[in-house]
Amino acid sequence: MLFAVAVLVPTPKTRPRVVYGGAGEPSSPVGRKGSRRLLSSLPASELSDLLVRSGGSSSQAQATSAKIVRYVFGSATSSGAMEPVWDEAALHAIGVGAWAFEALLALSPTVSLAIAERAPAQDGAERLLLRAMDGALIETVILPAAGRTTVCLSSQVGCARACTFCETGSLGLTRQLDAGEIVDQVRIARALWGNKSPAIMNVVFMGMGEPFDNLREVARATHVLTDDRGLKFSPSRVTVSTVGVADKIETFYATCRAELAVSLNSIDDEARTRIMPINARFNLGVLRAALERSVPKSHKVLFEYVLIADFNDSLGHADRLASWVSTIPCRVNVIPLNPGPDPSLRSPSPEAVSAFVARLSQHGVTTLVRRPRGREVGGACGQLAGARRNTWPS
Ligand code: SAH
């Protein structure tokens, strides 16, 4: 089935312009079971295309899609955006012509996920268990910090990539999330967060799933999230994290309005393959070559490095890591291992973390430590378990 056709106009080392073509069938069960297609899955350009096919001129369609984006997502800091009134009178009131009513009313403007559980942690983080329309369970985490609040999004139900230290990786993949289900995690987080400060300004695709295995929907979600008439995220504050699916890095930069994070975790091929099966397909050399080729000049990569005691946390490891990343404009996020499914992997001592970070900094690498947030409610990196959580003894 033909889907959104992204026409790329590439310029080497700069971000190609993307023009979305016709909208087609969504890829997840959301729209297939006779339920209405989610409005939140459509970037404004696709909404315009749909309106052109419904009889509007190109300029009418663009103006109407702008009105809809403003109406449905524009007041998203209040819960008003969760259930917008969606009938002919409401559309007429915002200046939509009758010609567009049928196409628009065939879409669903309401949030597609229900809150199944809220798990607030002592440190202010909150893990949300969300239920999709088909019953699938995913998790989203709200992470307040000084100056900004971040929402950590899931891109899939489960994950096929099977990293041994990650709870989600042990679930296997159930299905892809539709772009609307990704965007709706943000709408829910914003509604729950309300007008509290600091506002939700950052989005990271670091929850359940491998975003590059669902790149088309992730790309569309980034377009909806960064529409400055709607949810208004700056593309520089949207980060998509991958295990390192090297052959999709170029497509990522061509289609997503976001920055890239790569989970490196080891710069030794044998060790990395042991904890991240992806490395058998795209080893470190292939990954680095793809990054050197594809990262546009004005962009930096965020490398994530999960620090594991007596595995990858020595000063020698820090030296080799600094050398490995030296050809790519980047920052490094050191993440002390959170307890996960593999009991043989242990968290490093605070001293080992400090020494590792100090060594990287000595090499001139911009390094940050990602302190565990929401650990006691299972909301920290690598702890998101979705449906499995229901089967654990409390
Ligand atoms: N699949 C994507 C995004 C989800 S994981 C990816 O792998 O990048 C987001 C981050 O959490 C990754 O950097 C991953 O390496 C890290 N992570 C996974 N399990 C972890 C754990 N047990 N402790 C600390 N970080 C973990």
Side-chain angles (χ1 to χ4, degrees), residues 312-327:
N312 62 2
D313 66 340
S314 71
L315 296 183
H317 287 118
D319 293 340
R320 290 197 289 283
L321 173 60
S323 156
W324 197 92
V325 302
S326 63
T327 58

Side-chain angles (χ1 to χ4, degrees), residues 165-166 205-207 209-211 241-243 263 265 304 306 335-340 370 381-382:
F165 50 87
C166 176
F205 286 74
M206 296 181 187
E210 167 49 39
S241 180
T242 176
V243 287
S263 298
N265 300 341
E304 293 153 293
V306 177
I335 315 173
L337 179 78
N338 296 308
R370 194 184 295 168
C381 289

Side-chain angles (χ1 to χ4, degrees), residues 9-33:
V9 189
T11 325
K13 291 268 172 179
T14 61
R15 184 173 296 220
R17 199 162 53 87
V18 179
V19 185
Y20 279 94
E25 294 282 318
S27 66
S28 85
V30 172
R32 285 201 205 123
K33 291 187 171 171

